[in-house]
Amino acid sequence: MEDVFITGDHIISPLGNTSLENFSRIMHNESGIQLHHSPDIHETSFYSSLIDEETVSEIKKRIKNSDKFTRLENLIIYSIQTLIESNSIPLDDKTLLILSSTKGNISLQGRNTQFPGERVYLSVMGQVIQDYFKHRNSVVIISNACISGSLAISVARDLLQSPQYERAIVIGADEISKFIFSGFSSFQAVSPEPCRPFDSDRSGVTLGEAVASVYLSKKPKEGAFLIEGVGSFNDANHISGPSRTGEGLYRSIEQAFKDSENPDPGFISAHGTATLYNDEMESIAFGRANLLDIPVNSFKGYYGHTLGASGILETILSIHSLHNQMLIKSMGYFQQGTSQALNIIKENSESNIKSFLKTASGFGGSNIATLFTKYNS
Amino acid sequence: MENTHRISTYCLIRNNKVICDSEIRFSVEKSVSTSDFFKELYRYQSLEYPKFHKMDLLCKGSFLATEFIVEKQPITGQNVPLIISNFSSSGVSDSKHAQMIYREEDPLASPSVFVYTLPNILMGEISIRHKLHSENIFYIFDSFNAGFLTKYNEQILASGKAEKILSGWVEVTEESFDIFLYLVEKKGKYLHSKEQILELYKQKL
């Protein structure tokens, strides 16, 4: 398989509009999770990590005809635009745009807005983005629950095996609306306090918003990260509950290692949603894969669960951790809360590791594990 | 890339008819809703699978089409990636969930509706039924993109990741359905090419 590298990245989140700003703020223990009073999303106050409307207005000033686009489309366009500018990406036939989202413009569903009803469809959003950038290739869209972002990186790597393409921009994007909040609430899956992944007192997810993009290229440069191995397998067990044996995730990790030349992850960026069952399942899968000694964190304590964006957001934060030789503590964790004792990162710590494993799991029984290694010229 | 694989079996469900490998397997003359058609088809297949009744229409249709495929080519327990696509994602359940949470009286979300507001759930249902611990990818296209899927699937098979792929298009609304699933593998009756796939997909029912 031809090597594919992540050579650039960009994040919009409540913790800033660049990857560097985001990383610097989590390194200083800042979290985007706050108590919100927003009846549009939920009747009573709730914890969430939301991009504030002032930021959205600022971003819209940088987009041509921004009023023609939905809130989420503006953020997506801005992220792509910034990534293109900062990496001088040529938008020719050899460049792919790949969008991952669980629900896209679903906030429009069942509401009267300035936008036509068809705007709720992801493929219409794809067309809007393609038109904005006057790109010749259709935007490839992946909607695979909470593994969407990581899966889109894997699909991009597959697609770049064709000589037809040289590079890809992979975007993960989701926003929080009543549609999504009410659904997670109905599962009793939303935490009444900021989420606490892997902790013994964890009580569910905190939902969050982010738009994150990575630039994938067959040509490495200094500081690039090789997508060394990927595995993705279904639990074949339950549509909304994770497997008790961690089967799909375990198989995914094994495959990612088999796919790699010399697997040696120095750290794991776990899915860590802070639901009882997800975190327990992950601990079992990591145990079965003999990874209990490897330092692990969940970034959900800083951003909440950003759904289709989470895989890309957390991959970028992991890359910046390795660039800064700093492993970031798993916010909200105090005491072992899973049957397998994981090596959760309790304090930011210096480390010069070269490789990390990113995992994600989601509704529908889907799982993915991706091993990334720092490029060394 | 050269197309080295074949389609061993396919199932097309449209206009109240089911066609598998050029043979009409089931049809209903009168006009019926999507929901009633799937109920009758479930009865015809004499399945006993209580989980079926909990599924939303998108899952039901995809599930039933897969039963016809598996009847011809057993895939149970094998590493068969599911690479499936549609236009409206989980549109049927999305509007149901939205109606429930925005209604004036007693606005309330139901977890049994919300869980189906993700299109990949249909692949989860198929995976459970046929014990497929395999890769799942759900693509959104504006219409059935045979060219993209053929190229992608050939590449996955060439990489050695798997030897068979269940792929296709599953567009379902309350009023209509357009389901086309097919199994790609080493041997089979039909060529695995964009042209052949479109010919099968576009046949008049």
Side-chain angles (χ1 to χ4, degrees), chain A residues 242-313:
Chain A
S243 154
R244 282 177 195 280
T245 58
E247 189 62 30
L249 181 57
Y250 167 68
R251 290 187 189 212
S252 301
I253 296 168
E254 292 285 290
Q255 181 61 44
F257 287 173
K258 261 190 234 161
D259 202 19
S260 307
E261 222 159 82
N262 182 23
D264 183 25
F267 133 76
I268 305 170
S269 164
H271 192 49
T273 60
T275 66
L276 278 180
Y277 295 113
N278 173 79
D279 295 6
E280 173 62 14
M281 179 280 287
E282 282 186 280
S283 87
I284 291 168
F286 293 159
R288 287 179 66 186
N290 294 318
L291 298 174
L292 294 178
D293 292 338
I294 312 265
V296 50
N297 76 6
S298 161
F299 287 111
K300 302 283 191 298
Y302 302 90
Y303 293 91
H305 189 352
T306 55
L307 310 174
S310 61
I312 298 178
L313 171 72

Side-chain angles (χ1 to χ4, degrees), chain B residues 134-145:
Chain B
S134 48
E135 181 164 22
N136 295 177
I137 303 176
F138 201 89
Y139 285 108
I140 304 277
F141 299 122
D142 57 0
S143 59
F144 176 50
N145 195 337

Side-chain angles (χ1 to χ4, degrees), chain A residues 102-124:
Chain A
T102 63
K103 297 309 301 170
N105 278 327
I106 200 68
S107 63
L108 308 178
Q109 178 89 43
R111 323 239 68 192
N112 277 324
T113 69
Q114 65 174 110
F115 298 99
E118 60 159 33
R119 199 60 165 263
V120 79
Y121 295 114
L122 274 166
S123 74
V124 176

Side-chain angles (χ1 to χ4, degrees), chain A residues 40-261:
Chain A
D40 277 354
I41 294 176
H42 192 58
E43 307 78 53
T44 53
S45 54
F46 58 95
Y47 281 98
S48 190
S49 176
L50 305 176
I51 298 169
D52 68 69
E53 295 318 308
E54 223 169 285
T55 304
V56 177
S57 314
E58 281 307 309
I59 283 175
K60 283 175 81 171
K61 285 181 194 157
R62 310 275 297 274
I63 309 289
K64 232 192 320 178
N65 297 323
S66 61
D67 287 339
K68 283 192 185 167
F69 305 118
T70 65
R71 177 179 185 268
L72 190 60
E73 285 161 4
N74 271 294
L75 299 180
I76 291 170
I77 289 170
Y78 179 74
S79 187
I80 298 173
Q81 197 166 279
T82 312
L83 194 71
I84 288 174
E85 283 165 11
S86 53
N87 292 278
S88 315
I89 305 174
L91 261 192
D92 58 22
D93 291 3
K94 290 193 172 293
T95 305
L96 273 168
L97 286 178
I98 302 180
L99 171 66
S100 67
S101 181
T102 63
K103 297 309 301 170
N105 278 327
I106 200 68
S107 63
L108 308 178
Q109 178 89 43
R111 323 239 68 192
N112 277 324
T113 69
Q114 65 174 110
F115 298 99
E118 60 159 33
R119 199 60 165 263
V120 79
Y121 295 114
L122 274 166
S123 74
V124 176
M125 179 188 254
Q127 189 64 52
V128 165
I129 293 165
Q130 185 187 346
D131 291 348
Y132 182 88
F133 290 101
K134 299 190 175 67
H135 193 39
R136 298 230 339 242
N137 297 326
S138 297
V139 176
V140 176
I141 302 171
I142 289 169
S143 189
N144 220 94
C146 299
I147 74 160
S148 297
S150 286
L151 188 63
I153 292 176
S154 162
V155 165
R157 175 190 186 230
D158 287 337
L159 291 171
L160 289 181
Q161 297 305 311
S162 157
Q164 207 180 339
Y165 305 114
E166 276 300 317
R167 53 194 93 83
I169 294 170
V170 188
I171 314 113
D174 264 308
E175 63 180 356
I176 300 306
S177 61
K178 191 176 207 114
F179 187 102
I180 286 168
F181 200 98
S182 64
F184 275 91
S185 286
S186 75
F187 269 106
Q188 320 240 301
V190 179
S191 172
E193 57 169 359
C195 67
R196 295 172 60 181
F198 299 110
D199 188 74
S200 56
D201 286 336
R202 69 185 181 276
S203 51
V205 298
T206 298
L207 293 165
E209 297 183 318
V211 174
S213 320
V214 283
Y215 175 35
L216 268 56
S217 169
K218 296 191 207 179
K219 292 199 185 82
K221 62 173 194 188
E222 209 49 49
F225 271 76
L226 170 68
I227 305 164
E228 207 182 337
V230 184
S232 182
F233 291 92
N234 196 288
D235 285 330
N237 170 68
H238 197 279
I239 54 166
S240 58
S243 154
R244 282 177 195 280
T245 58
E247 189 62 30
L249 181 57
Y250 167 68
R251 290 187 189 212
S252 301
I253 296 168
E254 292 285 290
Q255 181 61 44
F257 287 173
K258 261 190 234 161
D259 202 19
S260 307
E261 222 159 82

Side-chain angles (χ1 to χ4, degrees), chain B residues 7-11 19-23 72 189-190:
Chain B
I7 290 171
S8 58
T9 178
Y10 75 87
C11 177
I19 285 200
C20 297
D21 304 346
S22 315
E23 184 192 343
K72 293 241 168 129
K189 201 169 164 187
Y190 311 96

Side-chain angles (χ1 to χ4, degrees), chain B residues 39 68 77 84 109 116 124 136 173 190 192:
Chain B
K39 254 183 230 159
F68 282 103
I84 300 179
Y116 287 103
N136 295 177
T173 67
Y190 311 96
H192 182 235

